[in-house]
Amino acid sequence: MLDKNGIAKRIAKEVQDGYYVNLGIGIPTLVANYVRDDIEVEFQSENGVLGMGPFPFEGDEDADIINAGKQTITTLPGASFFDSALSFSMIRGQHVDLTILGAMEVSENGDIANWKIPGKMVKGMGGAMDLVASAENIIVAMMHTNKHGESKLLKRCSLPLTGVGCVKKIVTNLAVVEVTDRGFKLLERAPGVSVEDIKNATEGHLTINGDIPEMDI
């Protein structure tokens, strides 16, 4: 089973040379720490940063340099800063190759709910609605079940949706799952996790073909 850093490590393998990547709040922000050194990737944050690096070491933080989740970050040589209008022009104009988001629920047809829990006060959907409406390649980083052990990979989302039919792949603490026309398809399992464990933790329809390899992280 993976922890949050393990999920980020596995997602980092999806990042290709030359990609422009948007990192959402939560687990996705960790991905920048694990990208291979032999490729060039530009990480974009919706608050107006292009060229994010890994998190700073303790004592090296600059409180003026933050990501969309208000965490202190580092920047790489050539990084740039700009206003939200330009940032969302990049997103809405489909200039981002890969979007990595957190989620509370994903349905078997690729719907995502990641902005509101009924009864909790929130300011609004925020930039997530632009990301899911504009991005063609969305990977979700999330835990497979909630704190009560209930599946978060569902037949239908129960929470208010952020986007419809937009998620392509999900990486959880248990598995790597692809979203297909026939629902979820199991691609890989986390170390120490059985196929049966994943089946029991997945409410939505899950296709399993042959032997499922263990993640290589």
Side-chain angles (χ1 to χ4, degrees):
M1 186 181 300
L2 304 180
D3 60 9
K4 292 180 179 180
N5 285 289
I7 294 172
K9 272 186 186 178
R10 175 57 187 83
I11 292 177
K13 291 180 172 291
E14 302 288 325
V15 178
Q16 299 181 23
D17 188 33
Y19 263 19
Y20 288 87
V21 181
N22 179 280
L23 299 178
I25 295 170
I27 298 173
T29 60
L30 300 170
V31 173
N33 294 338
Y34 300 110
V35 173
R36 291 177 8 227
D37 293 333
D38 61 337
I39 63 174
E40 291 189 10
V41 179
E42 296 286 348
F43 287 107
Q44 193 251 17
S45 183
E46 64 197 57
N47 59 313
V49 185
L50 185 64
M52 289 191 298
F55 285 120
F57 292 109
E58 187 174 351
D60 293 336
E61 303 94 337
D62 184 338
D64 290 326
I65 305 178
I66 60 173
N67 61 21
K70 301 182 177 63
Q71 298 166 302
T72 54
I73 57 171
T74 62
T75 54
L76 302 177
S80 57
F81 303 92
F82 36 84
D83 62 17
S84 291
L86 184 55
S87 179
F88 280 95
S89 292
M90 295 176 183
I91 294 166
R92 294 170 184 168
Q94 297 184 317
H95 302 293
V96 176
D97 298 297
L98 174 63
T99 297
I100 304 169
L101 296 173
M104 290 173 278
E105 295 177 347
V106 177
S107 75
E108 62 185 33
N109 68 313
D111 297 347
I112 181 174
N114 76 342
W115 74 280
K116 183 174 176 61
I117 300 174
K120 296 288 183 74
M121 182 70 73
V122 294
K123 295 179 180 178
M125 192 180 292
M129 62 181 177
D130 297 272
L131 291 164
V132 299
S134 304
E136 295 184 353
N137 189 8
I138 297 176
I139 297 177
V140 167
M142 64 189 293
M143 294 298 170
H144 211 102
T145 59
N146 63 25
K147 61 184 179 181
H148 303 296
E150 299 164 336
S151 180
K152 296 167 68 172
L153 277 66
L154 308 172
K155 294 182 184 297
R156 288 191 176 185
C157 294
S158 62
L159 297 174
L161 295 183
T162 312
V164 175
C166 55
V167 176
K168 304 298 184 190
K169 188 175 287 186
I170 308 158
V171 180
T172 76
N173 55 321
L174 302 183
V176 178
V177 176
E178 184 181 11
V179 178
T180 73
D181 293 339
R182 297 185 177 183
F184 300 123
K185 180 180 179 181
L186 182 59
L187 300 181
E188 301 173 19
R189 53 187 176 83
V193 176
S194 70
V195 171
E196 196 65 26
D197 291 333
I198 299 164
K199 285 172 64 177
N200 292 337
T202 307
E203 183 204 274
H205 177 73
L206 182 66
T207 299
I208 302 167
N209 293 331
D211 293 331
I212 304 300
E214 191 172 278
M215 293 184 207
D216 179 18
I217 58 170

